[in-house]
Amino acid sequence: MGDVLAGFQTVWEFDTDSVLIRFERGIRTPKLLQALGERRIPYEALSAVEVTPGKRGTIVLRAVPRPGADPLMDAADGQLKDGGDPYRLVLPAERGSLAEYYAEEIRTALGPAVATAAESYLVAAPAPPLSFKAYDGKASFDGKAVSFRWFWTGASSAKWKAGDQRFRVDELSGVEWRSPESKGGAAGSPKQGRSGYLRLLEHGAEGGRGGTDGSATGMGGARTGAGAGAVVSGSAGAGSIAAVTRPDHDPAAVVFGLGYGLVHESLPFAAAVLEAVRSSTPDPSAGRARSAAQPGRRDPADIADRIRHLGELHTAGLLTDDEFSSKKAELLAEL
């Protein structure tokens, strides 16, 4: 089409086979949209286009993505607020006829598969490397593996006992992301208020342990319930049911709140991991294997802080003498 339609904080540029959505920078633009910058959406990634009345004299033009077409929307799983929805274009109400015109133009460009889920991701996720600081650790993704490095000020004793974690993409079956802005929240909330989490679902890891709502997001973004306190992973196979592990106790998850691991940091991260998982070839021998992170030489002050925290856990009776000695030796070996 070659046309440009500018709305509030967002501009749509129409091409013959796609629409380029650009997000303006500014204090009124949600941080998630600013972090995304721009996204090219092929028409084959859409299932429909809607025009609905907005608030305070506005009209909303919204494209509806097909399930499985966009890793960002699969990871978000309906948790985004309207203002943070990257598929919405808000216009003055007097431009309603123009919105209807472009909606119809896009509808004519939609393919025959609009009613089916996409077999592969058609919209690109943010490119790695990516990282963000959660409440209990730092999450990093280099395109091949996800690493969790625990903070002694926030990580639970269970995570400290497990040690820093590294998960290869081919060991994973999916990602589960819970927004700190959604209602409810995870058990073991950070002290600053409502919490969210990012959990990695492993191949054969008893359904990925699931979330507090009894469901998990697999590679296709579909959530599958197994009743209260149980979950079936999207790709762990039928009948694989597991009890829920609290995210703050699960070494395969990081917990964050409104002040740690904000949506604009953690959601693009989750989408990038999900895209990499979908495109990877699973290793049948990976099973439930998890490897402890093997970083390079660390800051001696950081090692000292970690040993001090281990000492506190030992004094509190949360670590045995052997566990304390073993972990201390591992940390000293990293100097």
Side-chain angles (χ1 to χ4, degrees):
M1 287 178 256
D3 296 341
V4 176
L5 186 58
F8 297 107
Q9 291 94 44
T10 306
V11 175
W12 286 18
E13 298 182 6
F14 301 96
D15 206 338
T16 55
D17 60 353
S18 63
V19 56
L20 176 64
I21 302 178
R22 295 189 291 106
F23 307 105
E24 298 178 356
R25 292 187 175 276
I27 58 175
R28 294 187 178 183
T29 303
K31 289 185 177 181
L32 173 61
L33 303 186
Q34 293 189 50
L36 294 175
E38 65 178 36
R39 309 190 80 214
R40 182 167 292 280
I41 313 296
Y43 297 134
E44 63 175 328
L46 304 177
S47 63
V49 184
E50 306 169 339
V51 178
T52 58
K55 298 179 180 179
R56 295 185 291 276
T58 62
I59 198 81
V60 177
L61 173 63
R62 184 180 187 272
V64 181
R66 292 168 59 194
D70 184 350
L72 187 84
M73 302 307 286
D74 274 0
D77 193 36
Q79 299 176 73
L80 292 179
K81 296 181 178 179
D82 285 347
D85 185 346
Y87 284 83
R88 294 174 82 249
L89 178 65
V90 182
L91 301 159
E94 57 268 22
R95 304 185 74 184
S97 297
L98 192 60
E100 290 284 1
Y101 167 77
Y102 283 107
E104 189 58 34
E105 288 290 302
I106 295 176
R107 291 186 190 110
T108 60
L110 299 182
V114 293
T116 62
E119 296 182 357
S120 62
Y121 285 130
L122 303 172
V123 183
L130 297 168
S131 66
F132 71 94
K133 290 183 178 180
Y135 177 75
D136 54 1
K138 180 179 180 180
S140 303
F141 178 51
D142 61 6
K144 297 181 179 179
V146 179
S147 300
F148 293 157
R149 179 183 177 188
W150 308 124
F151 296 152
W152 70 270
T153 53
S156 65
S157 59
K159 291 184 176 181
W160 270 94
K161 286 183 179 180
D164 293 350
Q165 301 293 304
R166 183 175 186 275
F167 305 82
R168 297 197 318 269
V169 167
D170 61 4
E171 295 175 344
L172 303 177
S173 63
V175 176
E176 183 182 10
W177 179 80
R178 171 63 62 84
S179 171
E181 298 176 353
S182 64
K183 294 181 180 180
S189 299
K191 296 179 180 179
Q192 78 277 9
R194 289 181 298 175
S195 66
Y197 60 84
L198 182 145
R199 189 197 306 266
L200 303 176
L201 308 178
E202 302 169 85
H203 287 299
E206 300 182 8
R209 285 176 290 273
T212 56
D213 61 350
S215 56
T217 303
M219 292 200 303
R223 300 181 72 82
T224 52
V231 62
V232 179
S233 172
S235 58
S240 178
I241 299 177
V244 172
T245 300
R246 281 174 34 168
D248 61 328
H249 289 173
D250 186 356
V254 287
V255 179
F256 43 82
L258 296 179
Y260 301 83
L262 301 174
V263 170
H264 72 280
E265 297 175 329
S266 59
L267 181 56
F269 184 102
V273 175
L274 197 56
E275 181 183 59
V277 169
R278 172 74 77 89
S279 61
S280 70
T281 302
D283 180 2
S285 65
R288 298 180 59 183
R290 177 191 296 149
S291 56
Q294 298 294 330
R297 299 179 69 87
R298 291 184 175 173
D299 185 350
D302 177 61
I303 297 295
D305 284 341
R306 288 169 174 262
I307 292 176
R308 187 179 303 111
H309 183 64
L310 286 175
E312 294 172 356
L313 295 176
H314 180 239
T315 302
L318 298 175
L319 290 176
T320 66
D321 292 343
D322 290 341
E323 288 174 333
F324 172 70
S325 298
S326 176
K327 291 293 183 182
K328 180 180 179 181
E330 289 177 6
L331 290 171
L332 290 175
E334 295 177 9
L335 289 174

